Amino acid sequence: MPRARLADWVRWTETRNQANAAGLGPLIEALEDGRVAGPADEAFERAYAAWWLPWAMDESAELRRFSHWDHESVIEAFRRLDARAAELASAEVLRLLAHDLPARDGVTRRSELGVLRHQLGLKRPSMPIRRLLESLPETFGKLAPFVLMSPLSVAQYLPAGRAAFDLVIFDEASQITTWDAIGAIARGRQTIVVGDPKQLPPTNFFGRADDEDESLPEIERDMPSILDEVAAAGMSERHLAWHYRSRDEALIAFSNRFYYGGRLVTFPAPSTDAGGLTFHKVDGVYARGSGGRVNRKEAVAVADTVRRRLTDWLRLPEENRPTLGVITFNSEQQSLVLDLLDKVRRDAGDLEWFFADDREEPVIVKNLENIQGDERDVMLFSTTFGPDHTGKLTMNFGPLNNAGGERRLNVAVTRSRRELHVFSSITADQIDLGRTRAEGVKDLKAFLDYAERGAIALPARDEGSLGPTESVFEETVADAIRSKGWEVRPQVGVSGFRIDLGVVHPDQAGRYLCGVECDGAQYHSSATARDRDKVRQSVLEGLGWTIVRIWSTDWFRNAEAVVERVHTELERLVETDRRAVESAKANRDTLDAENGATQDGSVDRTPEGRKS
């Protein structure tokens, strides 16, 4: 032995003696014989787990008797019972609200209900609504336990001076001024204020919301809301973190990063690149002043896309046709798009079905100031502003330059469930932040960059989808599934919630065949069994995922059998999907033959890329 290594040998001898004294002789022998690959501590942990796990499982009656089919049967029974309990709850609420009211003919003329019956029997009621409600102090709450009213209607119709309701709930509270809310608060014993401080505040713009004058008088600026007041008062708050609307995380990732601090829990789409956000560069010109503050080329591009998409959707069954909406930066562009769509409707009468007022969600065209509260499957966003006829681009983007402009942008870019198409005559690099300090313009630059380049443009890009597995268990499962010939991607998603393993569809590289969920830390961290075993999976299934579960107890007992079971299930899913694709193709061919749709050369059947 070289003299220089003598100190190392002495230290090893000392460590070996300590290990032997602790009963680790076999580990020492394996190390000295070269039978240990990798760090010794990891080898020890693996060996210890392999020895301890069967013993621990045999000691626990629950683990010893565990079987995946029995456990999944219990979960399925729980889901059915939970759904049944929800059905019974609504019926029980209705029963409790009946209040044992007498029949209409069983009340006396001089009673509260008798006065109401008399007024209902008159062709022209003689008593104003407010006075009629004043005459029903005891029975109004029984007749109408729930009422849906605006603050103005509350002030107009409900008598003041008494608490008419046990609970008053304000929805979209960010748009309700404090003085409008006071009257409703005074008529209740308890108040819940629901709203998003990152969305539109009350405004006094009155049609001038798109004015380019940055120095608007104070009376026309945004006003404080009841939501702002209760938040500033330090009242107790509850934050709702689960985001359901967007069926593609790309649609909410920008707002989640810039406005919600990454707190929103979003759910991934069952595709490797869902393409929910698409950027369309338009060579448009923004007409200022007397030109009407419109961008005609953008409006034409939007109207043409609407026509093509609606024409394509006509080939689908009515119940499967998506819904569509258009957002513009100002009311002039909104009016121009509406005029162009009127022409589309005149030229193609069969598209009128999408615009019918009796539909639950007809096609809408709105601007930044009135889009809040609306949502559609597909949204088209015309950013409107751009270079003028001389090629000059000012840094004035209407309401985005004013305080609270970023709220309007947040509302505009979060209205879509499935697809958001951004039509813009400018790109992010054309916006010079050195010429403006407006927060809304700064965010617009970031959003255009995100729309054009995708998730890589977000500052949190290093925390995006497809990260490393969360545990050795998941890594082992992934390797075992890969050994059967499947392509597996770990940690699918971009928010705090990830699908453990995504199995890529062998026939369609852009889709996941299913998600594989392991009962690891994420599963056990759920607050309730309902979140863990019902709500989360139902959300994923609603997005189109098929979920296959692997239970760690099953895996540790017989990993080979579990892998074979999963492999068989994946093969079954592929075969089922192939049959469904063949059936859908046959149906489309039949429908095309009946309707002659294949002769319509205006239908665009090519998938749209991220940038067009």
Side-chain angles (χ1 to χ4, degrees):
M1 176 184 296
R3 185 175 181 180
R5 300 296 305 278
L6 182 60
D8 292 339
W9 172 252
V10 172
R11 182 63 184 275
W12 163 248
T13 302
E14 180 183 348
T15 302
R16 181 179 58 185
N17 293 337
Q18 291 176 351
N20 283 323
L24 298 178
L27 176 62
I28 296 300
E29 293 177 6
L31 286 170
E32 291 182 330
D33 294 343
R35 289 183 281 116
V36 174
D41 56 346
E42 293 182 3
F44 170 74
E45 289 179 0
R46 286 196 300 269
Y48 183 83
W51 166 80
W52 172 83
L53 195 57
W55 177 83
M57 292 174 65
D58 287 342
E59 285 294 308
S60 169
E62 290 79 7
L63 296 179
R64 187 171 63 248
R65 299 172 54 192
F66 181 88
S67 61
H68 72 88
W69 50 267
D70 183 56
H71 189 64
E72 289 170 0
S73 176
V74 171
I75 292 176
E76 185 59 35
F78 166 73
R79 291 173 182 165
R80 290 197 304 268
L81 291 173
D82 184 75
R84 181 57 179 157
E87 295 174 5
L88 293 175
S90 59
E92 180 65 7
V93 169
L94 292 175
R95 186 188 69 79
L96 293 174
L97 293 177
H99 293 301
D100 297 323
L101 291 170
R104 178 170 178 171
D105 296 332
V107 295
T108 62
R109 172 67 179 83
R110 296 184 177 277
S111 66
E112 292 183 10
L113 291 175
V115 173
L116 176 62
R117 185 187 65 179
H118 175 69
Q119 292 294 317
L120 291 174
L122 298 177
K123 290 185 178 180
R124 297 186 63 183
S126 59
M127 189 178 293
I129 294 178
R130 184 182 180 94
R131 184 180 166 194
L132 176 63
L133 296 182
E134 287 178 344
S135 70
L136 304 171
E138 300 297 330
T139 56
F140 174 67
K142 296 179 180 180
L143 289 168
F146 297 101
V147 294
L148 181 64
M149 306 179 76
S150 68
L152 179 61
S153 297
V154 169
Q156 183 175 359
Y157 296 117
L158 298 185
R162 68 169 183 264
F165 301 99
D166 297 312
L167 178 64
V168 174
I169 301 176
F170 291 95
D171 191 22
E172 296 286 1
S174 67
Q175 291 196 295
I176 302 175
T177 58
T178 304
W179 43 88
D180 282 339
I182 292 298
I185 293 174
R187 289 168 170 83
R189 298 180 178 89
Q190 184 180 9
T191 300
I192 296 177
V193 180
V194 182
D196 185 349
K198 300 299 183 180
Q199 295 198 1
L200 289 183
T203 180
N204 257 342
F205 277 12
F206 294 116
R208 292 188 58 191
D210 55 334
D211 200 311
E212 296 185 12
D213 183 8
E214 294 187 30
S215 55
L216 284 171
E218 189 66 29
I219 193 172
E220 294 190 7
R221 294 189 181 274
D222 293 341
M223 299 176 291
S225 70
I226 185 61
L227 184 64
D228 299 327
E229 293 290 345
V230 297
M235 296 186 180
S236 60
E237 298 181 6
R238 294 291 185 273
H239 295 278
L240 304 180
W242 284 26
H243 175 81
Y244 296 98
R245 174 185 298 148
S246 304
R247 299 179 67 86
D248 183 339
E249 286 182 301
L251 299 172
I252 192 62
F254 176 83
S255 290
N256 196 15
R257 165 63 181 83
F258 278 82
Y259 302 121
Y260 302 109
R263 296 190 305 271
L264 295 182
V265 177
T266 61
F267 298 86
S271 55
T272 57
D273 184 12
L277 181 61
T278 305
F279 183 81
H280 303 260
K281 180 65 171 69
V282 181
D283 185 22
V285 174
Y286 181 58
R288 299 183 181 277
S290 60
R293 294 200 294 270
V294 297
N295 188 323
R296 186 168 188 84
K297 285 190 177 181
E298 271 190 30
V300 170
V302 168
D304 185 59
T305 301
V306 171
R307 176 188 58 79
R308 288 188 293 108
R309 297 304 293 269
L310 298 187
T311 302
D312 204 9
W313 293 344
L314 277 176
R315 303 170 66 240
L316 301 174
E318 289 188 5
E319 62 275 11
N320 294 337
R321 294 174 183 174
T323 58
L324 185 143
V326 178
I327 311 171
T328 66
F329 250 65
N330 58 33
S331 57
E332 285 89 349
Q333 185 78 351
Q334 175 190 4
S335 297
L336 177 57
V337 173
L338 283 170
D339 291 342
L340 293 173
L341 290 183
D342 284 343
K343 183 178 184 305
V344 169
R345 295 164 68 178
R346 289 194 299 269
D347 295 343
D350 52 349
L351 300 183
E352 193 63 31
W353 181 90
F354 293 96
F355 296 86
D357 291 334
D358 58 352
R359 290 192 61 217
E360 184 175 352
E361 290 189 345
V363 173
I364 56 171
V365 181
K366 296 192 175 185
N367 61 60
L368 289 183
E369 299 301 321
N370 56 22
I371 191 62
Q372 182 163 320
D374 289 299
E375 59 183 68
R376 293 294 187 269
D377 294 324
V378 179
M379 295 297 298
L380 279 56
F381 181 22
S382 170
T383 57
T384 308
F385 295 97
D388 59 19
H389 291 285
T390 65
K392 179 183 178 182
L393 175 65
T394 70
M395 291 299 106
N396 194 322
F397 298 91
L400 257 63
N401 286 80
N402 300 320
E406 67 279 3
R407 294 185 179 186
R408 289 168 170 79
L409 180 65
N410 181 37
V411 170
V413 302
T414 56
R415 301 299 96 196
S416 171
R417 302 189 193 103
R418 298 176 183 271
E419 300 176 35
L420 174 62
H421 294 263
V422 180
F423 294 79
S424 179
S425 300
I426 56 175
T427 56
D429 58 296
Q430 292 178 269
I431 298 179
D432 183 4
L433 297 182
R435 295 163 56 192
T436 178
R437 293 181 296 177
E439 194 70 23
V441 177
K442 176 183 174 183
D443 289 355
L444 175 63
K445 178 182 177 73
F447 175 73
L448 291 177
D449 187 32
Y450 171 65
E452 188 171 7
R453 295 198 294 140
I456 194 174
L458 293 179
R461 56 185 176 272
D462 56 329
E463 300 175 3
S465 186
L466 307 179
T469 54
E470 281 192 331
S471 66
V472 176
F473 171 42
E474 291 180 13
E475 185 176 353
T476 305
V477 170
D479 290 341
I481 297 176
R482 289 189 185 104
S483 70
K484 294 293 185 179
W486 303 97
E487 182 181 352
V488 179
R489 301 184 183 180
Q491 295 295 292
V492 180
V494 298
S495 75
F497 173 78
R498 311 287 182 96
I499 288 182
D500 296 333
L501 304 171
V503 180
V504 179
H505 199 297
D507 298 341
Q508 305 172 40
R511 267 192 58 206
Y512 287 108
L513 175 65
C514 75
V516 177
E517 289 275 82
C518 305
D519 59 340
Q522 188 161 241
Y523 180 82
H524 294 292
S525 65
S526 298
T528 66
R530 190 170 187 270
D531 285 347
R532 180 180 66 236
D533 290 323
K534 182 185 179 183
V535 177
R536 190 170 68 182
Q537 181 152 334
S538 66
V539 172
L540 291 172
E541 290 173 349
L543 291 173
W545 281 97
T546 297
I547 300 298
V548 175
R549 290 203 170 274
I550 291 181
W551 306 100
S552 55
T553 306
D554 244 6
W555 181 267
F556 296 141
R557 179 180 293 144
N558 191 343
E560 292 79 7
V562 175
V563 173
E564 285 300 326
R565 174 169 59 84
V566 172
H567 176 63
T568 302
E569 177 65 12
L570 295 178
E571 289 184 323
R572 186 192 66 80
L573 291 173
V574 170
E575 185 60 31
T576 300
D577 193 59
R578 286 170 178 168
R579 288 198 299 267
V581 170
E582 291 175 359
S583 176
K585 183 178 182 301
N587 290 338
R588 284 197 303 270
D589 291 344
T590 301
L591 188 63
D592 286 347
E594 292 175 353
N595 299 333
T598 55
Q599 299 178 6
D600 184 1
S602 66
V603 178
D604 180 9
R605 298 183 178 87
T606 59
E608 295 177 275
R610 174 165 294 281
K611 183 178 178 181
S612 63

